[in-house]
C-alpha cells in the first residue's frame, strides 16, 4: 500500500503511544464540535478510558470466552495466510463480545505492511453484516456523507513502525452483543539478503479463548527450507509446528489460554510482537524461473554463484546539529562495519556535510586495509553541528565520481553509487527541493545509482524517495534510535554485492503484452528481480525469454523456455493455491510501477493520465490505493463507514483542527505539535489553516530560550532572557485581534555558578473579544469567563469548550488551545523529580507560524509575525571551534551571532530535538525592539503599552543619519519626546 493519502473519518485510538493520526480534506462541519457545549461548557470534562482491562479469570478451559473486568471478551483471534509463489493473501479475523449490560466501544486494530493492498473488510454485528466495496475516492466520500454510520468508524492510520500501517475499526456495541471483524489484504514477498520473510504483527491486546495463526506456502519451484524464528520470545518455544513437503509447507501456531498468559496467575497476554516465517526456494538455472498460469506469466530471476562487480561508492553523511547524540553514535558504528566490509577492488570516499561540505579524500581511493582504517578514524572524530546543505554535498560527491571516470580510474565493469544519509530537510544553500532534484539529475552520470537513507521522521521522505528513484536507486526510512546502526548495515548489505549490471528481459513480440518493467540497472546478490505480463495462451504453447546482462568477467545471454500449461496440473489440484496469483502479482507490480512513474511525471497532463490508469487498475482488482477508498456499509445502505490510505508521516497531516468524540472521548492534538502519544476519537471538523504541519515553529522553552523561526529567510534566530523570578514577560500583544499571551517567571531552587535560572511557571492567555482567560500553571489549567470558571488537572486527559475556544489537556504532557480556526497554541509541561536540589517544574510554549495575528501584533514573539529583513553573512570560526560566528544585519543593527543548538521538546519531552539557530547575545539586544525590560507587564493578562511605532521611527532616523540618536520613549506613554 503506498503511503500517499490520509483517511477521512477520525476515530478512537486508545492509550497507544505509537501512532500519529493523519487528516485529509476535512468536511465543513466545525459547528458539530461546538454544538457539544452545554451552557457554554461540556456537560463534564472528557477523560480517557483505558483500552483494555485485563482478564482476571483463571478457568480458561470453561466454555465461556475469556472476559476482562470490562466484560469485553475475545472469543477467537485468527490469522490465515496463503503464500502462492510469492503472493501472500492474509485474513485476520476477530470475534468479540460485550458481556456487560451497557454499551461499550470495541476496537479492531491490526497492523498491515505498508506495501500491502487491502481488498476486503467485513463486520458482522449480531447477524447483520457490513460489507466493503472499493470506489473512486471522491465518489466514496460522497456516498459516505449521505449515510454516515452512527457509533462506528474505520480508517487506516500511520504507525510509527517503519514498514507498517494500522487498520482500525471502532464500534459502539450494546451490552450482550457480539461482533466479528475480518480484513483481507495481499502483498508480494520480496527476497532480501537471500530469503523471503513473512511478518505477521500479532497483537490481540488481551487473552483470546481461541488464538490461531495458520500459514500455508505453495512454491512450484520447490522449497529449500522453512524456518520460524522465536520472534515472540522463549515464552512460546515449542508451540509452533512446521510440516514441509517438496513444494508445500504448513505452519501452525495455536497457544492455549494458559500458554498466552504472561505468568500462570497473570491476566495479561504475552502475545505481543511479530510472528515471522522465513523460507527460500530451489533455483535450478541462472536464467530464472518462468511461471505461467491463467493467461499471465511471472519471471523470477535471482542468480547466485557469480563474482561480485567492483563498486565505486561515495558515502554522503549528514553531520548537522540534529544528528548529535544517538543518531551520530549509531551512524558511526554502522559506518565502521560498512567500511570494514568493503572489498579490496572497491573504491570509495566520504563526504560529510552540515552548513559546510568536507571530504575525507578529494578523490576515490582503493579500499585497502590502511585506507579503511584511516576512514574509520575520520568518521569517529566527526562532531555534529550547524545546518544542512544537501545540495552542495550531493554535487560534490557527483563531481568526485565524474572526475574519477574522466581520469580512467574506474573499472569499466564496476558499479558506481552514492549513499546519502540524512535526518532532515535542507536548511543551508539551496532550499528548494525540486531545484535540488533538478541539480542532481542534470549532473549525475546515467550509470550512477543514488540510494537515500532517511533517519527519523523529521526528514522529507518523499523527497529522498524521488531523489533515489529518479537516479536508479531506492530509499529507506531508518529509525533514529538504538536500532539505527543495524538498520543501516542491513540496508547496505542489500546493495553491497552487485552481481550484474544492465539487465534486460526480452520476450517474443506478439506473444506477450502489458509487460512490467523489464530493464534494470543492477542486480544485487541476495535479492530477486520479478517481471510479469500477459500471455496469449490461446495461440502460444511455449514462452521463451532471453536475458542479457553484464557480469564481472563476461557479457551474459541467458535463455529459458516454459510451457504455457506447465503449472496447470499442480496448481489446479492444490486446494490452498490462489488460482489468480499470476494476475494479482502482475497487478501488484503494475500499480506500484505506475505510482512510481506518477511520482516522477514531468508534466501535469502525464500525471493525470497515469492517475487514471492507477484508478482503473484499483477498481478492476478491488484494492485500496491512494486514489480509491473502501466504503463499508450495511445491507440497507443507510449506514456507511469509510477507510482511506494514509500519507507519509513527514507530511503527516493535512491542515486540520481539534475535534471531540460524540461519546465523550478525547480529541486530537494539532498535527504541528507532533505529540508523542496518539490522539483520541474525533468528529471530523473543517479544514483549519491555522494548524501547520511545518516542523519549523516559534517557541519559548527551558530557562527561557526563545526560538524565532523566520519563514522568509528560513532561519532560526535564538536568544535568552535573563530576568527575575516573579516578573511577567509579554510574549504576544495583539490589540486588534484582542489576544495577549504573557508568561510569569519562577526561579530555580538555588543558584548554580552564581546564576539563578528562571523558567515560565505560569502562562496566561487573554482572548479579549470573547471575554475569556486561560491560566496554565504547573499544577492546573483554568478557563475563566467573568466570574465563572472551570479547571482541569494535569493528572487527567480532558477538554473544555466555551465560546468556540477549545482547551485540550493531555495527561502530564501538554495543553492545546484552539480559537475558532484562526489560532492555536501548545503549552508543554516539564516535570522534574520533586526532591531535585536545583530544578523545578516549568512550562514551554509553541506557536505555529500560520496563526493569524494582525499587523499590530507585538511582544517578544509577536513582533516577529511581521518578519524583519535579516541578512547573515561572513561566517567564520568562533572562539569555540565547534560554534562558528557570523554577522547578522537586522533592524539597522550589525550583530555578531553564534551558530548553536536549541531544543524542541514537542516530540521528545525528556531529551528534546536539536534545532540549529543563530544565537543573539545580551538577551536579544538589537534583534528585539528595545530592551527586554520594555516587555515587562504588571499582570498575567495585561496588554503591552505599545510605543513601538515611535521606536521604529527612531531606528529609521538613526539608520538614515538624519538626526543624532534619540532617547528611548517611556513604554507606558502614548506620546514621544524628542530631544534635539
Amino acid at each position: 500500500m503506498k503511503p500517499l493519502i490520509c483517511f477521512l473519518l477520525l476515530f478512537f485510538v486508545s492509550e497507544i503511544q505509537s501512532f500519529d493520526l493523519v487528516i485529509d480534506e476535512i468536511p465543513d462541519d466545525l459547528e458539530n464540535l461546538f454544538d457539544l457545549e452545554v451552557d457554554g461548557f461540556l456537560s463534564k470534562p472528557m477523560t480517557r478510558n483505558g483500552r483494555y482491562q485485563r482478564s482476571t479469570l483463571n478457568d480458561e478451559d470453561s466454555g465461556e470466552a475469556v472476559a476482562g473486568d470490562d466484560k469485553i471478551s475475545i472469543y477467537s483471534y485468527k490469522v490465515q495466510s496463503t503464500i502462492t509463489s510469492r503472493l501472500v493473501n492474509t485474513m485476520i479475523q476477530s470475534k468479540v463480545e460485550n458481556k456487560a449490560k451497557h454499551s461499550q466501544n470495541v476496537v479492531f486494530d491490526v497492523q498491515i505492511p505498508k506495501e500491502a493492498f487491502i481488498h476486503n473488510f467485513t463486520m458482522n454485528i449480531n447477524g447483520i453484516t457490513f460489507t466493503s466495496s472499493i470506489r473512486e475516492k471522491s465518489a466514496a466520500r460522497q456516498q459516505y456523507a449521505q449515510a454516515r454510520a452512527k457509533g462506528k468508524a474505520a480508517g487506516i492510520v500511520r504507525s510509527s513502525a517503519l514498514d507498517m500501517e494500522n487498520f482500525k475499526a471502532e464500534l459502539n456495541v450494546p451490552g450482550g452483543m457480539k461482533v466479528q471483524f475480518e480484513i483481507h489484504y495481499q502483498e508480494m514477498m520480496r527476497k532480501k539478503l537471500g530469503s523471503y520473510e513473512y511478518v505477521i504483527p500479532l497483537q490481540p491486546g488481551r487473552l483470546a479463548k481461541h488464538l490461531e495463526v495458520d500459514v500455508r506456502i505453495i512454491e512450484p519451484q520447490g522449497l529449500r527450507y522453512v524456518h520460524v524464528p522465536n520472534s515472540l520470545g522463549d515464552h512460546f518455544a515449542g508451540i509452533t509446528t512446521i510440516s514441509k513437503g517438496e513444494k508445500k509447507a504448513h505452519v501452525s501456531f495455536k497457544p492455549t489460554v494458559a500458554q498466552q498468559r504472561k505468568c500462570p496467575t497473570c491476566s495479561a497476554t504475552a502475545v505481543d510482537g511479530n510472528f515471522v516465517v522465513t523460507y527460500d526456494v530451489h533455483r535450478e538455472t541462472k536464467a530464472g524461473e518462468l511461471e505461467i498460469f491463467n493467461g499471465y506469466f511471472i519471471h523470477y530471476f535471482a542468480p547466485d554463484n557469480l563474482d561480485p562487480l567492483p563498486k565505486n561508492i561515495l558515502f554522503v553523511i549528514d553531520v548537522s546539529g540534529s544528528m548529535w547524540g544517538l543518531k551520530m553514535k549509531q551512524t558511526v558504528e554502522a559506518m565502521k562495519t560498512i567500511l570494514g566490509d568493503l572489498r579490496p577492488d572497491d573504491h570509495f570516499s566520504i563526504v560529510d556535510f552540515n552548513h559546510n561540505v568536507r571530504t575525507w579524500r578529494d578523490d576515490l581511493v582503493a579500499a585497502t586495509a590502511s585506507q579503511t582504517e584511516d576512514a574509520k578514524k575520520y568518521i569517529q572524530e566527526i562532531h555534529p553541528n550547524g545546518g544542512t546543505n544537501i545540495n552542495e554535498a550531493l554535487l560534490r560527491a557527483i563531481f568526485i565520481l565524474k572526475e574519477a571516470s574522466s581520469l580512467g580510474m574506474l573499472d569499466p565493469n564496476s558499479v558506481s553509487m552514492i549513499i546519502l544519509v540524512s535526518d532532515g530537510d535542507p536548511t543551508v544553500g539551496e532550499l528548494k527541493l525540486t531545484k535540488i532534484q533538478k541539480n542532481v539529475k542534470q549532473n549525475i552520470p546515467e550509470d550512477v545509482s543514488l540510494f537515500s537513507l532517511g533517519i527519523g521522521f523529521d526528514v522529507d521522505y518523499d523527497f529522498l524517495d524521488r531523489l533515489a528513484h529518479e537516479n536508479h536507486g531506492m530509499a529507506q526510512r531508518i529509525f533514529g534510535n538504538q536500532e539505527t546502526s543495524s538498520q543501516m548495515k542491513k540496508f547496505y548489505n542489500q546493495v553491497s554485492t552487485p552481481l550484474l549490471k544492465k539487465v534486460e528481459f526480452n520476450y517474443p513480440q506478439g506473444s506477450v503484452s502489458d509487460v512490467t518493467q523489464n530493464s534494470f540497472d543492477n542486480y544485487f546478490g541476495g535479492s530477486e528481480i520479478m517481471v510479469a505480463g500477459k500471455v496469449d495462451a490461446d495461440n502460444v504453447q511455449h514462452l521463451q525469454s532471453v536475458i542479457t546482462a553484464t557480469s564481472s568477467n563476461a557479457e551474459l545471454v541467458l535463455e529459458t523456455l516454459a510451457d504455457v500449461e506447465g503449472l496447470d496440473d499442480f496448481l489446479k489440484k492444490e486446494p490452498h493455491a490462489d488460482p489468480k496469483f499470476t494476475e494479482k502479482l502482475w497487478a501488484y507490480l503494475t500499480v506500484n510501477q505506475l505510482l512510481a512513474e506518477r511520482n516522477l511525471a514531468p508534466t501535469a497532463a502525464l500525471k493525470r493520465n497515469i492517475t487514471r490508469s492507477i484508478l482503473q487498475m484499483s477498481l478492476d482488482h478491488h484494492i485500496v490505493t491512494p486514489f480509491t477508498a473502501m466504503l463499508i456499509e450495511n445491507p440497507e445502505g443507510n449506514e456507511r463507514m469509510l477507510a482511506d490510505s494514509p500519507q507519509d508521516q513527514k507530511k503527516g497531516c493535512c491542515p486540520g483542527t481539534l475535534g471531540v468524540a460524540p461519546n465523550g472521548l478525547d480529541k486530537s492534538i494539532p498535527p504541528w505539535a507532533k505529540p508523542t502519544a496518539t490522539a483520541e476519537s474525533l468528529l471530523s471538523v473543517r479544514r483549519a489553516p491555522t494548524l501547520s504541519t511545518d516542523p519549523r515553529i516559534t517557541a519559548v522553552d527551558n530557562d527561557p530560550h526563545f526560538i524565532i523561526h523566520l519563514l522568509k529567510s528560513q532561519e532560526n534566530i535564538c536568544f535568552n532572557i535573563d530576568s527575575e523570578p516573579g516578573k511577567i514577560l509579554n510574549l504576544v500583544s495583539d490589540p486588534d485581534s484582542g489576544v495577549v499571551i504573557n508568561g510569569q517567571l519562577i526561579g530555580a531552587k538555588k543558584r548554580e555558578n552564581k546564576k539563578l535560572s528562571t523558567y515560565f511557571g505560569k502562562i496566561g492567555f487573554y482572548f479579549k473579544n470573547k471575554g475569556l482567560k486561560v491560566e496554565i500553571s504547573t499544577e492546573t489549567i483554568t478557563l475563566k469567563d467573568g466570574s465563572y470558571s472551570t479547571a482541569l488537572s494535569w493528572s487527567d486527559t480532558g477538554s473544555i469548550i466555551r465560546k468556540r475556544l477549545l482547551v485540550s489537556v493531555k495527561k502530564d504532557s501538554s495543553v492545546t488551545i484552539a480559537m475558532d480556526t484562526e489560532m492555536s497554541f501548545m503549552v508543554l509541561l516539564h516535570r522534574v523529580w520533586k526532591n531535585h536540589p536545583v530544578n523545578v517544574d516549568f512550562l514551554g510554549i509553541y506557536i505555529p507560524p500560520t496563526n493569524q495575528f494582525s499587523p499590530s501584533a507585538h511582544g517578544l514573539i509577536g513582533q516577529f509575525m511581521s518578519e524583519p529583513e535579516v541578512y547573515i553573512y561572513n561566517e567564520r570560526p568562533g572562539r569555540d571551534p565547534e560554534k562558528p560566528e557570523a554577522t547578522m544585519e537586522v533592524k539597522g543593527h550589525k550583530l555578531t551571532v553564534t551558530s548553536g543548538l536549541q531544543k524542541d521538546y514537542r516530540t521528545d519531552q525528556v531529551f528534546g530535538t536539536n534545532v540549529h539557530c543563530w544565537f543573539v547575545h545580551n538577551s536579544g539586544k538589537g534583534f528585539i525592539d528595545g530592551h527586554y525590560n520594555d516587555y515587562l507587564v504588571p499582570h498575567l493578562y495585561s496588554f503591552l503599552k505599545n510605543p513601538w511605532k515611535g521606536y521604529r521611527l527612531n531606528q529609521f532616523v538613526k539608520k538614515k543619519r538624519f538626526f543624532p540618536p534619540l532617547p528611548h520613549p517611556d513604554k507606558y506613554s502614548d506620546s514621544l519626546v524628542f530631544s534635539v
Side-chain angles (χ1 to χ4, degrees):
M1 176 180 305
K2 290 298 177 179
L4 297 174
I5 311 297
C6 308
F7 74 92
L8 249 185
L9 188 62
L10 304 181
F11 46 81
F12 174 65
V13 182
S14 49
E15 209 127 24
I16 302 174
Q17 301 288 318
S18 58
F19 310 114
D20 292 328
L21 292 181
V22 286
I23 308 167
D24 184 33
E25 298 188 27
I26 308 303
D28 293 330
D29 58 357
L30 181 61
E31 295 302 324
N32 290 346
L33 173 66
F34 299 105
D35 286 345
L36 295 175
E37 292 183 64
V38 178
D39 295 328
F41 283 86
L42 291 180
S43 57
K44 59 181 179 179
M46 294 175 295
T47 56
R48 172 166 38 194
N49 297 319
R51 182 179 183 186
Y52 291 125
Q53 295 293 325
R54 300 300 183 184
S55 168
T56 58
L57 299 180
N58 292 319
D59 186 12
E60 65 274 2
D61 295 323
S62 70
E64 297 297 317
V66 181
D69 291 341
D70 57 4
K71 303 300 183 181
I72 297 289
S73 65
I74 298 180
Y75 181 79
S76 71
Y77 192 94
K78 295 182 179 180
V79 181
Q80 294 180 347
S81 306
T82 301
I83 304 173
T84 308
S85 200
R86 319 317 192 260
L87 176 78
V88 187
N89 287 301
T90 301
M91 182 276 290
I92 302 176
Q93 180 193 85
S94 179
K95 296 180 181 179
V96 182
E97 181 177 4
N98 177 15
K99 302 176 78 67
K101 295 180 180 180
H102 58 277
S103 296
Q104 296 192 79
N105 278 2
V106 173
V107 179
F108 176 68
D109 175 5
V110 294
Q111 285 193 333
I112 59 174
K114 288 179 184 176
E115 297 299 318
F117 289 132
I118 297 173
H119 62 89
N120 193 23
F121 173 73
T122 60
M123 294 189 309
N124 187 291
I125 309 167
N126 259 27
I128 300 173
T129 301
F130 281 67
T131 58
S132 65
S133 58
I134 306 298
R135 309 286 176 88
E136 187 272 328
K137 191 178 289 288
S138 60
R141 288 173 173 173
Q142 186 176 15
Q143 287 182 282
Y144 161 70
Q146 294 170 358
R148 299 184 182 185
K150 297 179 181 179
K152 305 175 182 69
I156 307 164
V157 293
R158 169 70 58 222
S159 165
S160 66
L162 288 179
D163 301 318
M164 293 290 167
E165 288 163 352
N166 274 63
F167 180 93
K168 293 176 182 284
E170 178 195 6
L171 295 178
N172 189 263
V173 179
M177 278 197 178
K178 300 175 182 177
V179 59
Q180 175 179 302
F181 302 95
E182 187 170 303
I183 188 171
H184 296 251
Y185 61 87
Q186 63 189 43
E187 60 184 307
M188 186 181 78
M189 300 290 289
R190 296 187 181 274
K191 188 184 179 191
K192 293 182 180 179
L193 302 177
S195 68
Y196 304 97
E197 183 179 80
Y198 175 45
V199 178
I200 304 171
L202 200 55
Q203 298 163 327
R206 61 171 72 201
L207 299 172
K209 184 183 178 187
H210 300 286
L211 177 64
E212 176 183 355
V213 177
D214 189 89
V215 181
R216 295 187 181 272
I217 306 171
I218 301 100
E219 285 288 355
Q221 279 182 253
L223 290 164
R224 284 182 56 221
Y225 66 84
V226 176
H227 176 59
V228 179
N230 198 15
S231 55
L232 288 172
D234 295 338
H235 188 91
F236 299 102
I239 297 177
T240 303
T241 62
I242 303 173
S243 303
K244 177 185 170 296
E246 181 185 353
K247 297 182 179 180
K248 299 185 294 182
H250 180 211
V251 176
S252 179
F253 176 71
K254 295 182 181 180
T256 65
V257 174
Q259 290 169 331
Q260 294 173 47
R261 296 184 188 277
K262 283 189 174 181
C263 68
T265 58
C266 291
S267 59
T269 178
V271 183
D272 186 11
N274 291 333
F275 185 82
V276 179
V277 179
T278 62
Y279 73 93
D280 198 14
V281 299
H282 292 292
R283 293 176 180 83
E284 302 298 334
T285 65
K286 288 185 178 179
E289 183 77 9
L290 196 56
E291 295 185 357
I292 306 165
F293 194 65
N294 280 350
Y296 293 83
F297 77 88
I298 309 292
H299 197 162
Y300 304 100
F301 182 68
D304 49 17
N305 297 322
L306 295 170
D307 293 331
L309 297 167
K311 58 183 178 289
N312 316 299
I313 185 167
L314 262 295
F315 298 99
V316 182
I317 302 173
D318 183 347
V319 296
S320 61
S322 58
M323 287 286 289
W324 184 87
L326 184 61
K327 289 180 187 176
M328 196 69 236
K329 181 180 179 181
Q330 292 280 303
T331 300
V332 169
E333 180 184 324
M335 283 301 303
K336 286 181 176 180
T337 302
I338 290 169
L339 290 168
D341 289 342
L342 292 173
R343 299 181 181 89
D345 54 355
D346 293 336
H347 288 73
F348 78 106
S349 188
I350 299 168
V351 176
D352 60 296
F353 67 97
N354 44 28
H355 47 284
N356 296 315
V357 177
R358 299 191 309 169
T359 56
W360 168 65
R361 295 284 187 269
D362 290 333
D363 49 21
L364 290 174
V365 299
T368 62
S370 61
Q371 294 284 20
T372 55
E373 283 302 313
D374 190 65
K376 291 177 187 178
K377 293 177 183 176
Y378 178 82
I379 290 288
Q380 183 68 53
E381 293 172 359
I382 289 175
H383 299 288
N385 67 88
T388 308
N389 193 343
I390 293 177
N391 184 70
E392 187 178 338
L394 287 174
L395 294 181
R396 181 77 62 86
I398 292 168
F399 173 79
I400 292 173
L401 282 171
K402 290 171 73 172
E403 187 177 52
S405 178
S406 66
L407 294 174
M409 296 171 57
L410 307 185
D411 186 323
N413 286 337
S414 63
V415 170
S416 296
M417 64 180 73
I418 296 170
I419 296 182
L420 169 66
V421 180
S422 180
D423 76 331
D425 293 346
T427 61
V428 178
E430 181 57 63
L431 302 179
K432 195 172 181 181
L433 301 183
T434 54
K435 180 63 175 176
I436 296 175
Q437 283 180 245
K438 185 177 180 181
N439 290 343
V440 172
K441 187 65 177 175
Q442 287 178 343
N443 286 277
I444 196 168
E446 192 64 26
D447 60 349
V448 174
S449 298
L450 172 61
F451 299 94
S452 302
L453 288 177
I455 299 180
F457 290 98
D458 292 330
V459 68
D460 190 328
Y461 182 73
D462 276 351
F463 163 64
L464 294 183
D465 191 54
R466 288 194 301 272
L467 199 62
H469 279 93
E470 266 189 336
N471 299 289
H472 320 293
M474 60 182 179
Q476 183 167 316
R477 196 195 295 276
I478 300 292
F479 273 123
N481 59 14
Q482 298 286 354
E483 299 178 11
T484 297
S485 178
S486 62
Q487 291 175 74
M488 287 180 64
K489 287 183 282 189
K490 187 173 181 180
F491 177 85
Y492 172 75
N493 288 339
Q494 293 178 48
V495 300
S496 64
T497 311
L499 299 181
L500 298 172
K501 61 189 292 187
K502 299 177 182 176
V503 185
E504 301 276 349
F505 291 73
N506 303 280
Y507 306 95
Q509 291 187 359
S511 299
V512 298
S513 62
D514 297 316
V515 177
T516 60
Q517 179 184 351
N518 63 335
S519 177
F520 302 87
D521 298 293
N522 301 300
Y523 164 72
F524 296 97
S527 66
E528 182 173 60
I529 294 175
M530 296 174 64
V531 180
K534 298 178 180 178
V535 181
D536 184 5
D538 294 334
N539 299 303
V540 176
Q541 289 185 329
H542 299 88
L543 181 63
Q544 182 183 22
S545 75
V546 177
I547 302 172
T548 60
T550 300
S551 70
S552 62
N553 50 25
E555 295 293 326
L556 302 181
V557 178
L558 307 171
E559 299 183 28
T560 190
L561 186 69
D563 188 337
V564 170
E565 298 179 353
L567 289 179
D568 288 12
D569 287 343
F570 171 69
L571 291 175
K572 287 179 179 178
K573 293 177 182 177
E574 175 49 55
H576 298 289
D578 186 342
K580 292 190 174 183
F581 83 92
T582 49
E583 179 184 353
K584 291 177 180 178
L585 282 171
W586 170 81
Y588 183 96
L589 289 168
T590 301
V591 170
N592 278 284
Q593 182 177 316
L594 288 170
L595 287 167
E597 290 175 3
R598 184 184 183 278
N599 205 25
L600 302 177
T603 66
L606 179 56
K607 184 169 285 191
R608 283 194 298 271
N609 289 336
I610 296 173
T611 300
R612 282 193 287 269
S613 298
I614 297 170
L615 175 59
Q616 193 59 52
M617 287 284 294
S618 305
L619 297 175
D620 289 346
H621 297 274
H622 201 264
I623 52 179
V624 178
T625 64
F627 308 105
T628 55
M630 177 177 285
L631 195 68
I632 306 157
E633 56 188 336
N634 64 353
E636 292 77 21
N638 57 10
E639 283 197 274
R640 292 175 179 146
M641 301 155 63
L642 186 70
D644 291 354
S645 55
Q647 209 176 38
D648 183 84
Q649 186 154 344
K650 168 65 179 181
K651 300 196 172 175
C653 46
C654 313
T657 188
L658 304 179
V660 183
N663 59 0
L665 299 170
D666 193 25
K667 74 287 308 144
S668 157
I669 298 301
W672 58 266
K674 294 187 181 232
T676 54
T678 306
E680 305 291 325
S681 175
L682 309 168
L683 280 177
S684 299
V685 289
R686 72 180 172 92
R687 182 184 301 274
T690 61
L691 299 185
S692 166
T693 63
D694 196 332
R696 292 159 290 194
I697 199 163
T698 293
V700 190
D701 216 324
N702 222 311
D703 59 340
H705 300 316
F706 286 71
I707 304 174
I708 307 296
H709 179 70
L710 303 178
L711 284 171
K712 293 179 185 177
S713 58
Q714 291 295 303
E715 295 285 0
N716 292 316
I717 310 298
C718 298
F719 58 91
N720 296 344
I721 295 295
D722 293 321
S723 189
E724 301 171 10
K727 299 292 187 182
I728 301 174
L729 292 170
N730 175 255
L731 305 179
V732 176
S733 180
D734 188 353
D736 288 356
S737 64
V739 176
V740 67
I741 307 172
N742 295 321
Q744 185 170 29
L745 297 172
I746 56 173
K749 294 176 182 177
K750 65 179 182 180
R751 296 177 181 272
E752 282 192 318
N753 299 321
K754 299 182 179 181
K755 179 182 180 297
L756 182 67
S757 295
T758 56
Y759 310 86
F760 282 134
K762 285 184 182 178
I763 296 178
F765 296 81
Y766 180 28
F767 301 95
K768 184 178 181 181
N769 298 341
K770 293 180 178 291
L772 298 177
K773 297 176 180 177
V774 180
E775 179 179 313
I776 302 174
S777 71
T778 57
E779 301 299 327
T780 59
I781 302 94
T782 306
L783 188 148
K784 304 175 183 178
D785 186 358
S787 61
Y788 192 75
S789 68
T790 189
L792 287 173
S793 167
W794 282 107
S795 61
D796 292 317
T797 291
S799 299
I800 310 169
I801 302 174
R802 190 168 180 85
K803 296 180 180 178
R804 301 176 67 85
L805 182 79
L806 188 148
V807 181
S808 174
V809 183
K810 190 75 171 176
K811 180 179 178 180
D812 291 328
S813 175
S814 63
V815 175
T816 300
I817 297 174
M819 187 185 80
D820 297 319
T821 59
E822 298 173 1
M823 295 182 186
S824 60
F825 312 89
M826 171 180 264
V827 176
L828 292 185
L829 172 67
H830 296 272
R831 289 280 194 216
V832 301
W833 176 43
K834 67 179 181 179
N835 294 323
H836 195 286
V838 178
N839 296 338
V840 294
D841 295 347
F842 64 94
L843 305 171
I845 180 170
Y846 293 77
I847 303 176
T850 47
N851 274 356
Q852 299 174 14
F853 293 106
S854 76
S856 67
H858 211 274
L860 286 167
I861 291 176
Q863 63 187 289
F864 299 104
M865 300 303 169
S866 298
E867 185 173 323
E869 294 291 335
V870 171
Y871 302 97
I872 299 173
Y873 59 93
N874 190 26
E875 186 175 337
R876 55 195 180 270
R879 284 172 289 183
D880 184 338
E882 294 189 5
K883 294 183 178 180
E885 293 182 348
T887 300
M888 180 172 77
E889 288 193 13
V890 59
K891 298 180 180 180
H893 302 284
K894 279 189 178 181
L895 308 174
T896 297
V897 291
T898 303
S899 176
L901 297 175
Q902 292 288 15
K903 293 288 188 180
D904 178 345
Y905 290 95
R906 286 175 296 160
T907 57
D908 185 340
Q909 285 185 236
V910 178
F911 299 105
T913 302
N914 286 328
V915 176
H916 173 262
C917 64
W918 291 101
F919 186 81
V920 180
H921 302 274
N922 301 319
S923 296
K925 183 179 180 180
F927 180 59
I928 63 173
D929 292 337
H931 189 273
Y932 80 83
N933 283 331
D934 300 322
Y935 298 87
L936 297 177
V937 292
H939 304 293
L940 199 59
Y941 306 110
S942 298
F943 280 85
L944 191 67
K945 300 297 184 181
N946 193 346
W948 299 110
K949 290 182 181 179
Y951 180 79
R952 284 169 178 163
L953 173 63
N954 183 353
Q955 296 304 310
F956 174 81
V957 169
K958 287 199 291 185
K959 185 175 180 181
K960 295 299 183 181
R961 302 182 189 278
F962 293 147
F963 298 97
L966 301 179
H968 186 58
D970 179 0
K971 69 176 178 179
Y972 291 111
S973 171
D974 290 331
S975 61
L976 292 173
V977 179
F978 294 91
S979 175
V980 180

